[in-house]
Amino acid sequence: MNLRPLCLVFSNLALLSTVILSGCATPPNNAQPEATEAEDFNDPFEDANRAIFDFNQVVDRNVLVPVAKAYRTVLPDAVRDSLRDFLRNLREPIIFANNALQGDFDHAGQTFARFTLNSTLGVGGLIDVAGRWGQLPYYEQDLGLTFGVWGIPEGPYLVVPVLGPSDPRDLIGQVGEGFGDPFNRLVTGNPYTLYWIPFVRGGVSGIDQRSRYIETLADIERTSLDYYATIRSLYRQRRAALIRHEKEQNLPPPASFSRNDGPVPSVKPPQAAMASEAQTISEVAR
Amino acid sequence: MRRIVLTAFVLFVGALGPAILTAAADPAAVINNLGNRALEVLGKNATPAQRVARFHELFREDFDVPGIARFVLGRYWKTATPEQQDEFTRLFEDYIAIVYSSQLSAYTGETLKVTGSRADPEGAIVASEIIRPSGAPPVKVEWHLADQHGTYKIRDVAVDGISMAVTQRSEFASVIQRNGGQVQGLIAMLREKTGSASGR
């Protein structure tokens, strides 16, 4: 639970530093049921977040979506899948590190096998040989999830310019991964010092991901009464579910689904207060 | 995400069909049967209005609509007047029918496989997977059913661990808060959304 040194490392990032630090100062969640967690907005910076969200929406509509659509139109499916597999392969060392840090050695082994197979037989990762023919599917991991598995709290919900929904835990994870990534270190270190490569990599990866959710997100936005609130809830529930899933995997195998004595999660979240009364209501951001 | 939930409604029952219809007391059968019903909603050459009407029927019969309406309004249920509660429940049902029936139209051949079920203090939880024709990894969907005097009604759908009821409640709570804590603000927005979308 020793977050402070980590916080200090990033405290000179002028942007958002106060936000991150205040997030780190948040006391750990005292074992509340997940339902309450998802119920609470956990959004003390809602006004700022909504303003950044609106800005991101402008960028999304005018830059990301048009580029993602062009990307989808111009490149054939096979080429895009190959590009995605290549970018995923670059992530495998980081995923391996996260598997290991979580004590999940089964997946660490799988990730290692994937990376080895795909980097060689898969021509530098361009073909996902391991996933397609080796029964070893890609398995996403990141440092934010590892922090979560360790029991570090998420901190307040944040919307990061361009990058979107996050929280201090995930943001620090992302920054940490950016610096720690072996591929990034290789291309930016001597003798290459190609500092633009990690940015191109991040940009292409972002466009590829966006291109796969164009209709889904448009549907959600069209049918939502409050798109911001929906995205906030989806993001937080999704991250919590992934962390829960990782923790469960490290436990002994669960009881069979058909038996009645399996672990029983609460279906109906307690009727706890949804958000603190102190939270000010704002009419400004919209 | 909602798109994925919708595809969850559309499942392939195959040989099970008629045999399962008689076994309404089995929670897994309720979910299996739901797939046939969802395909009926889509129908051949059905107009959007017909789809909305059919979804209404399905939602009312297979889901615990009053329970869900109450849940998604959360703590504001108690602050609402009985008239507001009634109107909200009605509008909520319309809203869900419009949103989900239009999205069901995006169905592209996904199939749903029930993978297990377990008892739960409320009733039962049925686990399933949506198998996608594209070969993408299956999506895990959990159906939470409430036992209401021997019949099972769906109370929540969790997609990859994301509860649709919790998401809806969080959104509605946000709308109410931003309208000065007044349920009427949410009702007005729902009126507008359902009125414009259904062409009334």
Side-chain angles (χ1 to χ4, degrees), chain B:
Chain B
M1 196 50 68
R2 277 183 203 171
R3 176 181 290 263
I4 296 171
V5 181
L6 293 171
T7 55
F9 288 116
V10 183
L11 44 107
F12 180 66
V13 180
L16 292 171
I20 226 100
L21 292 175
T22 54
D26 174 11
V30 174
I31 300 308
N32 267 320
N33 189 22
L34 190 67
N36 284 342
R37 312 246 309 151
L39 286 170
E40 278 167 29
V41 169
L42 280 169
K44 286 191 195 99
N45 311 317
T47 65
Q50 282 170 326
R51 286 181 181 174
V52 172
R54 287 177 195 170
F55 193 91
H56 251 292
E57 208 178 303
L58 177 151
F59 191 49
R60 218 172 283 160
E61 282 173 22
D62 288 343
F63 288 73
D64 174 17
V65 178
I68 296 170
R70 217 186 150 114
F71 177 82
V72 296
L73 206 52
R75 65 186 172 119
Y76 295 105
W77 181 263
K78 283 188 184 128
T79 66
T81 65
E83 292 74 32
Q84 283 178 325
Q85 290 174 352
D86 285 351
E87 186 176 10
F88 171 76
T89 305
R90 204 155 36 77
L91 287 169
F92 173 66
E93 197 186 309
D94 288 351
Y95 173 64
I96 294 295
I98 289 165
V99 168
Y100 282 63
S101 61
S102 88
Q103 293 190 358
L104 261 179
S105 311
Y107 173 67
T108 52
E110 289 84 354
T111 58
L112 191 134
K113 196 178 84 188
V114 171
T115 53
S117 69
R118 62 182 189 267
D120 168 272
E122 301 277 326
I125 297 175
V126 176
S128 67
E129 280 182 351
I130 300 176
I131 316 288
R132 293 184 279 184
S134 63
V139 180
K140 287 193 162 57
V141 180
E142 278 196 354
W143 307 83
H144 295 232
L145 295 97
D147 185 353
Q148 294 187 333
H149 317 294
T151 56
Y152 285 95
K153 298 259 187 178
I154 299 161
R155 191 166 266 176
D156 192 9
V157 186
V159 182
D160 271 339
I162 300 175
S163 151
M164 292 301 112
V166 169
T167 306
Q168 198 62 75
R169 179 166 70 170
S170 184
E171 181 185 34
F172 285 171
S174 179
V175 169
I176 294 170
Q177 277 206 0
R178 296 171 70 75
N179 278 285
Q182 298 301 311
V183 175
Q184 203 56 42
L186 173 65
I187 289 178
M189 279 187 86
L190 281 172
R191 267 190 206 141
E192 194 190 319
K193 204 82 177 177
T194 54
S196 58
S198 67
R200 271 185 296 183

Side-chain angles (χ1 to χ4, degrees), chain A residues 11-279:
Chain A
S11 64
N12 50 5
L13 287 171
L15 184 72
L16 291 164
S17 68
T18 43
V19 172
I20 292 167
L21 285 167
S22 58
C24 293
T26 310
N29 216 338
N30 27 12
Q32 287 178 339
E34 281 86 10
T36 344
E37 187 185 45
E39 207 178 310
D40 193 337
F41 295 158
N42 185 36
D43 194 1
F45 308 109
E46 182 165 351
D47 285 357
N49 281 342
R50 279 195 188 261
I52 298 169
F53 188 83
D54 288 348
F55 167 77
N56 285 353
Q57 282 289 96
V58 172
V59 175
D60 192 60
R61 260 193 294 275
N62 295 297
V63 183
L64 296 183
V65 171
V67 173
K69 277 186 176 161
Y71 169 83
R72 202 170 61 170
T73 316
V74 172
L75 296 180
D77 285 5
V79 174
R80 277 185 291 125
D81 286 352
S82 192
L83 189 56
R84 180 200 56 198
D85 291 343
F86 173 75
L87 291 165
R88 282 180 169 179
N89 194 53
L90 292 183
R91 271 191 65 73
E92 303 277 20
I94 277 281
I95 293 172
F96 174 80
N98 280 300
N99 292 149
L101 287 171
Q102 293 175 21
D104 182 356
F105 297 107
D106 284 354
H107 276 113
Q110 271 187 39
T111 307
F112 184 80
R114 275 183 58 83
F115 184 67
T116 314
L117 278 169
N118 289 344
S119 300
T120 52
L121 290 176
V123 202
L126 285 169
I127 309 162
D128 183 3
V129 179
R132 244 184 256 183
W133 296 288
Q135 306 288 326
L136 290 169
Y138 178 72
Y139 187 79
E140 184 62 57
Q141 264 309 329
D142 62 66
L143 193 52
L145 293 181
T146 299
F147 290 156
V149 170
W150 289 351
I152 295 171
E154 59 185 329
Y157 179 70
L158 296 177
V159 181
V160 182
V162 186
L163 297 179
S166 192
D167 55 50
R169 185 176 63 192
D170 289 342
L171 192 56
I172 291 171
Q174 248 175 319
V175 174
E177 278 190 356
F179 286 125
D181 186 278
F183 176 76
N184 285 358
R185 293 184 79 94
L186 178 74
V187 294
T188 56
N190 282 324
Y192 306 107
T193 62
L194 301 168
Y195 295 103
W196 53 274
I197 288 186
F199 289 97
V200 172
R201 177 189 172 189
V204 174
S205 169
I207 292 300
D208 179 70
Q209 291 206 9
R210 188 67 188 88
S211 76
R212 294 170 196 273
Y213 296 99
I214 295 174
E215 282 74 24
T216 310
L217 285 173
D219 272 350
I220 295 174
E221 181 175 6
R222 185 174 53 82
T223 55
S224 291
L225 300 181
D226 185 343
Y227 186 45
Y228 171 88
T230 301
I231 293 293
R232 176 178 60 196
S233 179
L234 292 176
Y235 180 78
R236 297 190 57 228
Q237 286 192 69
R238 179 76 187 132
R239 296 298 288 180
L242 286 171
I243 291 164
R244 210 161 53 224
H245 180 67
E246 291 310 321
K247 283 183 178 164
E248 279 164 12
Q249 278 194 333
N250 295 341
L251 297 174
S256 150
F257 229 145
S258 55
R259 269 162 53 194
N260 292 353
D261 56 1
V264 182
S266 80
V267 185
K268 202 170 155 194
Q271 302 290 328
M274 215 171 295
S276 80
E277 289 293 336
Q279 196 163 10

